[in-house]
Amino acid sequence: MRKEIILDVIEPGLGELESIWDYIGYPDEQRTERLHTLAEQLQARMFDFISAENQRRVQLDTEIEARKRRAAQICQTLRLPPYFPPRGLPSLSLLEHLDAHIAQFEAEIKERQARQSELTAQVRSLCERLGLPDETATTKPAEATTTDGDGVDSTTDADDAIPSEQDLERLQSRVAELERRRDDMLKRLSGLAEDVRRIALDIEFAGSPAGSGADDAAQALEDAVLAGEETTRLPLSDATLSQLEALRLRLVKHKAMLVGTCDELRQHIRVMWTRLDIPHEEQEAFLAQHAGYRQSTLDALQEESDKCQELKWSQATAYLANLRREASELRATCFLDDTGDEADEDAALIGGDLDDTEEGVAALERRIDELRESYEKNRELYAAVGLYQDTWRAYLDVEQRMKDPAILSNRGGVLLKTDKERKQLQKELPKVEKKVSELLQKLQGGDNFRIRGRTFEQHVRHLWDSLRSEQEASKFNRKAGAVAGGRTGSATSGGGDDLRSSQSPMRDSSLGAAGSPRKDY
């Protein structure tokens, strides 16, 4: 302690007292007595000052302990390690040091509470956007801090609401989860809305009519989507997605109905046009004008179908003749036998005295529908058999050309080329036969398939047997010197089963390549 400061104050006063006492004339005894009185008074003042300073020291110790408790409480609340101030610091320095760290801790608290409030607001907003219950309703808000008698913030109640880092991480994760869910739902909602608008445009769907049974929310959503409202303004919830999915499914079913009905009507109209001999140019023009599957297209097709029905009765005689020709071609295309009860019934319908009454025409139309259904059901079978039959006819043609004297006399390129073609077809026939047989085994109904009453294997054997029989007969006739006048011979002749004759479906004019009919049934 610096005594000089005290002495510098007392010594000038003592000198002045000596002067006063000299003037008064106090003796030494009185002067000594006066000095003792002054000393006692100075000592009393010193004791009072020391007492006050001692009280300040106690107060500082109390404040330091309060700061330490506050620092420990904040560290515990913030889930931080305990804080220990440096040792050996004076009380004022220690108090200042503690206040600085407490200020840092309280700034951390405010930052965490601000982050919590921000994240909580985001969760609340996302829950409201997604139509979910408010997850923040039970969150306890932080209470305002108060100051106790020691000048220390008392936040005991508020400390319970101070979030930890883990709490903030959970909130941040929940926000990210809700945002992903929002983005996914927005993506689904956008896709559904786009699908609904596209399908509605395709089928000219203007919206459900009043009184269709849809609730107000579903009707409002349908109107908004069809009006092209932005997706971000549509309600975003599982209920909204379910309503849009149901609307899309309803439109898809309606479009499927339109597609099926329009296709059926187009097919029916094509058949009717063919029977009514409508020019091809008019057909193509009408179909080009009424393409697609809209409701207006369906109405136009239905109107054309009704028009064809009217024309059918106004041209009944010609219509019936075309029906008979169509039935005959279908019977040939389907390789039906010319004997049996079914053949007799068909003969009565096709070649009998059937008049052009509504009942007669309807009966023939039903039979044509049955034949066409049978053909469509076994289309692959007919194509496979036709492939073999085309190959067989090509082989017979080469065999016939090889007998031509003009080719035999020409020992040049024509003979060699024809012979090479015959050998190639001889190799191809077994391959095609095997291919057709395998296909018949795989296809449903292949075992029951008949060609004029024979199975495919029986039909193949019949062709080869007929060819061998003809070759043997021709050889015998040449040896005997007997030449059959005007007869060229046929590899498939005998017993009315000549499949190369004009009555044979294999040679019928209605067949195109691979044995398929020229008309699309």
Side-chain angles (χ1 to χ4, degrees), residues 124-180:
R124 185 182 300 111
S125 176
L126 288 168
C127 289
E128 181 180 359
R129 182 73 177 97
L130 296 172
L132 299 176
D134 185 4
E135 299 178 1
T136 64
T138 58
T139 302
K140 181 180 179 180
E143 298 181 8
T145 59
T146 58
T147 304
D148 58 17
D150 296 328
V152 180
D153 291 337
S154 177
T155 56
T156 303
D157 293 335
D159 288 346
D160 295 337
I162 297 174
S164 64
E165 288 292 343
Q166 291 78 10
D167 295 334
L168 294 177
E169 289 176 359
R170 283 193 293 270
L171 270 177
Q172 186 65 57
S173 299
R174 183 55 178 164
V175 169
E177 179 184 353
L178 291 173
E179 286 178 342
R180 286 193 299 270

Side-chain angles (χ1 to χ4, degrees), residues 220-235:
L221 178 63
E222 177 182 317
D223 295 340
V225 171
L226 294 178
E229 187 170 335
E230 294 182 4
T231 307
T232 54
R233 301 181 61 183
L234 296 176

Side-chain angles (χ1 to χ4, degrees), residues 64 109 274 280 315 419-420 445 521:
I64 290 172
I109 290 175
T274 302
H280 181 74
Q315 303 175 15
D419 185 60
K420 183 178 180 181
Y521 295 105

Side-chain angles (χ1 to χ4, degrees), residues 319-462:
Y319 181 79
L320 182 57
N322 289 335
L323 280 181
R324 287 171 171 166
R325 182 176 61 255
E326 184 179 351
S328 299
E329 293 174 353
L330 278 170
R331 289 196 84 258
T333 301
C334 295
F335 308 115
L336 296 183
D337 199 353
D338 292 333
T339 61
D341 295 338
E342 185 180 46
D344 294 339
E345 294 176 1
D346 288 347
L349 285 174
I350 299 173
D353 298 329
L354 181 67
D355 54 21
D356 56 1
T357 61
E358 184 174 353
E359 293 79 7
V361 172
L364 188 52
E365 287 177 337
R366 285 193 300 270
R367 180 52 181 163
I368 291 175
D369 291 339
E370 293 173 0
L371 293 173
R372 185 183 296 110
E373 181 180 358
S374 175
Y375 171 76
E376 293 295 340
K377 182 179 179 181
N378 301 286
R379 177 186 287 268
E380 292 184 76
L381 291 176
Y382 296 129
V385 174
L387 175 62
Y388 181 84
Q389 194 65 25
D390 286 344
T391 308
W392 177 258
R393 286 200 298 269
Y395 177 71
L396 292 181
D397 182 67
V398 172
E399 286 286 343
Q400 191 66 28
R401 283 188 282 130
M402 288 295 294
K403 299 176 183 180
D404 188 356
I407 294 180
L408 294 176
S409 62
N410 183 358
R411 298 294 181 176
V414 177
L415 179 61
L416 293 176
K417 182 178 179 181
T418 306
D419 185 60
K420 183 178 180 181
E421 184 179 355
R422 178 178 64 175
K423 291 179 180 179
Q424 182 64 31
L425 289 171
Q426 286 175 341
K427 295 179 181 179
E428 289 294 327
L429 276 172
K431 296 179 181 179
V432 178
E433 179 182 349
K434 181 180 179 182
K435 179 179 179 181
V436 173
S437 297
E438 291 176 353
L439 180 60
L440 289 172
Q441 291 177 2
K442 294 179 181 179
L443 293 177
Q444 183 179 3
D447 295 339
N448 299 325
F449 184 70
R450 295 293 183 272
I451 301 176
R452 304 181 72 81
R454 299 187 184 95
T455 64
F456 177 71
E457 291 77 6
Q458 292 171 347
H459 171 67
V460 172
R461 286 196 300 269
H462 172 73

Side-chain angles (χ1 to χ4, degrees), residues 484-509:
R487 178 181 177 187
T488 61
S490 172
T492 57
S493 61
D497 286 332
D498 186 358
L499 295 182
R500 296 190 301 164
S501 66
S502 61
Q503 298 299 324
S504 169
M506 299 300 180
R507 299 284 291 178
D508 192 274
S509 61

Side-chain angles (χ1 to χ4, degrees), residues 2 306 308 404 433:
R2 298 180 179 182
D306 296 339
C308 288
D404 188 356
E433 179 182 349

Side-chain angles (χ1 to χ4, degrees), residues 63-79:
E63 292 179 3
I64 290 172
E65 291 300 320
R67 298 294 196 281
K68 288 181 178 180
R69 290 194 303 270
R70 176 58 183 159
Q73 180 184 8
I74 293 177
C75 288
Q76 182 179 6
T77 301
L78 295 177
R79 278 75 168 178

